């Protein structure tokens, strides 16, 4: 019994010594942590993240200090990560989920499994303004010269339900395998590049997006670009009798509907559908739209010949007759039939202030933002000059040289 009492006393004294001993020093860089729920009592409501670093000693002798990073900085880092990494980071701590995620602005999705509603709900009240999906289009054989592409059915069916969760009105752009200009990655998509079954998948995707726009599940402020609805146009894979084109013009944002010039609708039908939409008439009567159409020209080669007459304030210079070699070949501005038809309808029915345009504005539009290189002016085919003049669009007479159609090279004359 005496021996047992002595052992008990020794054990108690040992514990007392351990209590008074100073704590062991931590390693120089022990860990990286966040103010999580384990510190809720002391850090509730905290909006910063701590990094434990032992490079500097504080006044108490501890060889670590807390470096606080604002959630905006974490969000800026997350903008450059794939969506899968963003989701994994969001479960690190409550701070990451509730503070850092709300400042994320860009989501880059590379796998169809990531288009899930429970993931999207984490960003309902965030600042996300751009979503890029890179798992819709698949190249069947990258080594083949005639590239063939297919559309992933699972991705196409999951896109709209995923987008419907972004209700904060911050989202502005959605790219479906497109680059910064809204052009599909890898190729300029036409029906020759898509498998037949993929064409129907794309059309079904467009219908579902139209339904989301109609019901308000996706805001009209959100512009969606994809393989059939690029930045500048909407590509219809049907020749005639397609109700999808009319549905597109009725549903998609006005700016995209106005630019949908590759639909199977006629120019008059398309403009009429747009005019019946709220704000459609104001959009069609915009001076900006007319100037954009004037800049939608292209150049064809012609044989430069002898000038007839001198430039004057009353009439533009005319080129006619004669012939020449390669040194006399220049580029003349022409318009497609569809653009000229749209200009005529706009100036006649909607944009009554065509004469209010200044010659300088028209000249800059014809140049497409480029500067006039020399004093000779720009070359414009006569039929288009006369048409613009009849519509009341003022063409700068001192900077325009009229080209006769007989001077156009034979391989492009029939084309225009």
């Amino acid at each position: 019994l005496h021996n047992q009492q002595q052992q008990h006393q020794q054990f108690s004294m040992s514990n007392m010594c351990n209590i008074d001993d100073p704590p062991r020093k931590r390693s120089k860089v022990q860990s990286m942590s966040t103010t999580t729920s384990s510190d809720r009592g002391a850090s509730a409501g905290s909006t910063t993240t701590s990094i434990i670093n032992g490079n500097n000693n504080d006044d108490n002798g501890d060889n670590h200090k807390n470096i606080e990073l604002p959630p905006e900085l974490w969000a800026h880092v997350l903008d450059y990560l794939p969506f899968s990494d963003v989701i994994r980071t969001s479960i690190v701590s409550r701070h990451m989920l509730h503070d850092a995620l709300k400042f994320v602005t860009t989501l880059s999705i590379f796998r169809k499994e990531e288009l899930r509603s429970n993931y999207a709900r984490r960003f309902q009240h965030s600042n996300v303004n751009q979503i890029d999906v890179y798992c819709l289009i698949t190249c069947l054989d990258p080594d083949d010269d005639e590239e063939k592409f297919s559309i992933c059915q699972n991705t196409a069916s999951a896109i709209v339900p995923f987008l419907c969760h972004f209700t904060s009105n911050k989202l502005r752009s959605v790219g479906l395998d497109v680059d910064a200009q809204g052009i599909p990655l890898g190729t300029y998509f036409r029906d020759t590049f898509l498998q037949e079954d993929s064409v129907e998948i794309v059309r079904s995707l467009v219908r579902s997006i139209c339904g989301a726009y109609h019901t308000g599940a996706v805001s009209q402020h959100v512009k969606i670009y994809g393989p059939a609805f690029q930045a500048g146009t909407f590509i219809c894979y049907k020749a005639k009798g397609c109700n999808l084109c009319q549905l597109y013009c009725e549903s998609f944002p006005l700016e995209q509907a106005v630019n949908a010039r590759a639909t199977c609708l006629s120019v008059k039908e398309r403009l009429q559908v747009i005019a019946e939409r709220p704000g459609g008439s104001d959009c069609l009567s915009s001076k900006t739209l007319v100037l954009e159409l004037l800049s939608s020209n292209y150049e064809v080669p012609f044989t430069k010949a002898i000038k007839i007459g001198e430039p004057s304030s009353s009439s533009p210079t005319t080129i006619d007759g004669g012939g020449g070699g390669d040194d006399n070949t220049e580029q003349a501005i022409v318009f497609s039939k569809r653009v000229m038809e749209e200009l005529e309808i706009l100036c006649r029915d909607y944009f009554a202030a065509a004469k209010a345009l200044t010659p300088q504005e028209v000249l800059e539009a014809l140049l497409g933002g480029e500067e006039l290189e020399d004093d000779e002016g720009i070359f414009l085919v006569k039929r288009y000059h006369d048409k613009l003049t009849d519509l009341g669009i003022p063409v700068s007479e001192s900077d325009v040289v009229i080209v006769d159609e007989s001077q156009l090279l034979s391989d492009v004359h029939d084309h225009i």
Side-chain angles (χ1 to χ4, degrees):
L1 180 62
H2 178 71
N3 290 336
Q4 289 179 354
Q5 290 177 346
Q6 283 185 337
Q7 290 177 359
H8 179 70
Q9 290 176 356
Q10 290 176 359
F11 179 75
S12 300
M13 291 296 295
S14 175
N15 285 345
M16 292 177 64
C17 292
N18 289 338
I19 292 175
D20 294 335
D21 287 343
R24 291 183 179 181
K25 293 185 177 181
R26 299 189 179 190
S27 59
K28 201 163 189 178
V29 179
Q30 183 178 15
S31 64
M32 177 177 181
S33 66
T34 58
T35 54
T36 62
S37 57
S38 61
D39 301 322
R40 290 188 186 96
S43 60
S46 174
T47 59
T48 58
T49 301
S50 302
I51 299 178
I52 300 177
N53 191 319
N55 291 333
N56 297 313
N57 295 332
D58 56 15
D59 296 338
N60 296 327
D62 293 329
N63 62 341
H64 71 270
K65 68 179 295 186
N66 292 336
I67 302 176
E68 297 180 346
L69 296 181
E72 294 87 349
L73 182 57
W74 284 116
H76 186 66
V77 175
L78 295 177
D79 284 341
Y80 293 92
L81 295 180
F83 187 62
S84 57
D85 291 341
V86 176
I87 292 299
R88 283 196 289 267
T89 305
S90 68
I91 62 176
V92 168
S93 66
R94 177 170 294 186
H95 164 76
M96 280 293 184
L97 180 61
H98 295 288
D99 295 332
L101 281 195
K102 68 182 181 181
F103 293 106
V104 172
T105 60
T106 304
L107 300 180
S108 300
I109 301 172
F110 292 91
R111 299 170 58 213
K112 61 180 181 294
E113 294 81 8
E114 299 166 7
L115 293 167
R116 295 170 55 181
S117 297
N118 59 328
Y119 291 161
R121 281 194 290 267
R122 302 182 187 185
F123 301 89
Q124 275 184 316
H125 305 292
S126 67
N127 290 329
V128 172
N129 56 49
Q130 180 176 343
I131 298 177
D132 296 315
V133 179
Y134 297 105
C135 52
L136 178 65
I137 302 173
T138 303
C139 183
L140 299 179
D141 188 1
D143 298 329
D144 190 359
D145 293 336
E146 296 182 1
E147 294 177 316
K148 288 289 184 178
F149 293 83
S150 64
I151 303 296
C152 178
Q153 173 71 64
N154 294 334
T155 301
S157 59
I159 286 174
V160 172
F162 183 83
L163 296 179
C164 291
H165 289 282
F166 292 84
T167 57
S168 62
N169 292 327
K170 298 293 181 64
L171 186 61
R172 289 294 180 269
S173 175
V174 177
L176 308 179
D177 278 292
V178 298
D179 58 18
Q181 286 73 41
I183 303 300
L185 297 175
T187 183
Y188 186 81
F189 262 76
R190 293 289 183 184
D191 54 345
T192 55
F193 292 103
L194 283 179
Q195 298 292 312
E196 184 176 352
D197 56 343
S198 295
V199 173
E200 294 304 319
I201 296 175
V202 170
R203 293 175 65 83
S204 298
L205 175 59
V206 175
R207 287 192 184 94
S208 62
I209 294 175
C210 290
Y213 278 131
H214 259 307
T215 59
V218 176
S219 172
Q220 286 285 326
H221 297 293
V222 181
K223 296 178 181 178
I224 303 178
Y225 304 122
F229 33 97
Q230 302 169 7
T233 184
F234 170 75
I235 298 177
C236 177
Y237 295 107
K238 300 290 184 181
K240 291 292 182 183
C242 171
N243 60 353
L244 181 60
C245 293
Q246 180 169 348
L247 185 61
Y248 178 94
C249 294
E250 291 174 348
S251 308
F252 267 64
L254 282 172
E255 183 179 345
Q256 289 182 272
V258 167
N259 291 325
R261 298 187 176 94
T263 63
C264 64
L265 298 176
S266 67
V267 174
K268 184 176 181 179
E269 290 172 339
R270 178 171 60 85
L271 295 181
Q272 185 175 359
V273 170
I274 296 173
E276 293 174 354
R277 293 180 55 177
S281 297
D282 294 336
C283 181
L284 296 179
S285 61
S286 170
K287 177 176 70 173
T288 304
L289 179 57
V290 175
L291 294 177
E292 287 179 357
L293 286 171
L294 290 175
S295 64
S296 301
N297 57 66
Y298 58 99
E299 295 180 332
V300 297
F302 74 97
T303 302
K304 187 177 179 182
I306 305 172
K307 289 185 179 181
I308 305 298
E310 295 294 334
S312 65
S313 59
S314 58
S315 62
T317 306
T318 303
I319 293 182
D320 189 14
D326 294 338
D327 294 339
N328 291 329
T329 302
E330 292 284 356
Q331 300 290 325
I333 292 177
V334 296
F335 294 90
S336 67
K337 180 180 179 181
R338 204 170 179 89
V339 169
M340 290 305 299
E341 184 180 357
E342 186 168 344
L343 270 174
E344 182 177 0
I345 296 175
L346 287 177
C347 294
R348 184 186 68 235
D349 300 334
Y350 302 101
F351 187 61
K355 295 182 179 180
L357 295 172
T358 64
Q360 183 62 28
E361 289 176 330
V362 175
L363 178 63
E364 292 176 357
L366 292 175
L367 290 171
E370 299 179 1
E371 295 184 359
L372 201 59
E373 295 182 356
D374 49 46
D375 297 335
E376 193 170 27
I378 60 174
F379 299 100
L380 181 62
V381 176
K382 186 177 186 301
R383 79 158 82 166
Y384 302 110
H385 173 271
D386 296 343
K387 190 66 175 179
L388 295 178
T389 303
D390 293 340
L391 294 176
I393 298 176
V395 180
S396 177
E397 297 179 347
S398 59
D399 295 318
V400 171
V401 179
I402 297 179
V403 176
D404 190 82
E405 288 189 36
S406 61
Q407 297 174 243
L408 299 178
L409 298 184
S410 57
D411 57 341
V412 298
H413 185 272
D414 295 335
H415 175 66
I416 65 168

